[in-house]
Amino acid sequence: MLPLTLLLTLTTLLPVQALYFYLDGTTQKCFFEELPKDTLVVGHYKAEQYSEQTRSYGANPDMGIFISVDEVFDNDHRIVSQRGSSSGRFTFSAADSGDHRICFTPTGVSAASGWLTNGQPTGGIKMTLDLVIGETSAIESTDKAKIGDLVTKVRDLNARLQDIRREQVFQRVCRIRACHESEGIERRELNADRVRQEREAEFRDQSESTNSRVVRWTLIQLAVLGVTCAWQLSHLRAFFIKQKLT
């Protein structure tokens, strides 16, 4: 088991801890992390297996990773027990201040050695781990910023649609005035103008209908995204609270 004391930084600054290490077969690797109360941890991991044919590390679709997080200060109370593929994401919240043990165990692979370092094998599996440690409010603010960007883009789209519609109205008024000024032209030219106006009106109606559908669909997507983000944050909070209580 290896400590992460060299990788700890100020949690209030939302640090990112990136490292990689080697595993031999299904050997478990654990780290200890001292976390303040109400700290949210988001981890991204990726495991690659050594290939003798290519003499390099690459993805193995049959490999999985079992992740466990225990509260050392609370008689090793387990708050995370997750089985996933060779790459993925895990999250947990520190219900109280103290040491947390984070363990990774490969599944679906056999013991194998990788490159030699000073005559000793480094392990058949290379695992890359990125940890984002920060307060729950700090990470939630990032999601809110993304929603704010979407709202800004929708507003810009609505403004452009309004400009197009005003331009269409202006062109229509200009054409009507031109028709009044040319009342003395021949009947054949008047008929041609009427046909052209009808076609333009039909095209305008189709354009307005298309623009309305685009705006409606964009607003629906924004609403769904907002509801989904709110539900995920609520579900995540409830999950952490439930895990601590049980």
Side-chain angles (χ1 to χ4, degrees), residues 48-59 113-115 124 126:
E48 298 174 303
Q49 188 173 14
Y50 183 79
S51 174
E52 292 291 347
Q53 289 77 13
T54 61
R55 299 190 63 82
S56 62
Y57 289 92
S113 296
W115 292 100
K126 177 182 178 181

Side-chain angles (χ1 to χ4, degrees), residues 23-228:
L23 301 172
D24 184 14
T26 57
T27 302
Q28 186 183 67
K29 181 78 71 174
C30 295
F31 302 92
F32 287 91
E33 192 77 42
E34 184 177 359
L35 300 173
K37 183 179 180 181
D38 296 330
T39 299
L40 182 64
V41 178
V42 180
H44 297 268
Y45 66 91
K46 179 181 180 182
E48 298 174 303
Q49 188 173 14
Y50 183 79
S51 174
E52 292 291 347
Q53 289 77 13
T54 61
R55 299 190 63 82
S56 62
Y57 289 92
N60 181 359
D62 298 328
M63 179 170 53
I65 298 295
F66 174 73
I67 305 171
S68 62
V69 179
D70 301 319
E71 293 177 335
V72 180
F73 59 88
D74 191 13
N75 297 323
D76 292 337
H77 174 246
R78 180 154 294 183
I79 57 177
V80 174
S81 181
Q82 174 181 323
R83 294 184 182 272
S85 60
S86 59
S87 62
R89 177 177 180 268
F90 66 93
T91 61
F92 67 92
S93 179
D96 206 345
S97 301
D99 287 334
H100 292 70
R101 183 172 60 246
I102 307 173
C103 297
F104 302 89
T105 306
T107 59
V109 295
S110 57
S113 296
W115 292 100
L116 295 178
T117 303
N118 297 327
Q120 298 295 328
T122 60
I125 297 175
K126 177 182 178 181
M127 187 163 182
T128 304
L129 177 64
D130 291 333
L131 288 180
V132 180
I133 302 177
E135 296 181 352
T136 303
S137 58
I139 296 180
E140 287 178 352
S141 63
T142 303
D143 295 333
K144 292 180 180 179
K146 294 180 180 178
I147 296 178
D149 293 339
L150 291 176
V151 172
T152 302
K153 291 180 180 179
V154 172
R155 289 177 178 174
D156 292 341
L157 179 60
N158 288 333
R160 293 180 182 178
L161 292 176
Q162 292 296 330
D163 291 340
I164 293 174
R165 187 168 184 177
R166 283 194 294 268
E167 181 66 20
Q168 291 175 341
V169 172
F170 175 76
Q171 294 294 337
R172 184 179 180 182
V173 172
C174 291
R175 294 189 187 97
I176 293 175
R177 291 178 178 176
C179 289
H180 286 294
E181 293 175 356
S182 59
E183 291 180 354
I185 63 175
E186 297 179 354
R187 176 65 63 179
R188 185 174 57 187
E189 294 178 351
L190 289 174
N191 293 335
D193 289 338
R194 292 193 186 98
V195 172
R196 185 166 56 254
Q197 290 177 10
E198 291 175 357
R199 292 178 179 176
E200 291 174 351
E202 182 180 359
F203 176 78
R204 183 186 61 256
D205 294 337
Q206 292 178 353
S207 299
E208 293 178 353
S209 177
T210 302
N211 294 337
S212 300
R213 288 197 296 269
V214 170
V215 174
R216 190 183 306 113
W217 177 243
T218 303
L219 294 176
I220 292 174
Q221 286 181 319
L222 180 61
V224 171
L225 180 59
V227 172
T228 303

Side-chain angles (χ1 to χ4, degrees), residues 38 77 79 92-95 233-246:
D38 296 330
H77 174 246
I79 57 177
F92 67 92
S93 179
L233 294 174
S234 176
H235 179 72
L236 187 61
R237 286 178 179 273
F239 174 77
F240 292 148
I241 294 173
K242 180 179 178 182
Q243 290 293 323
K244 176 59 182 178
L245 292 178
T246 57

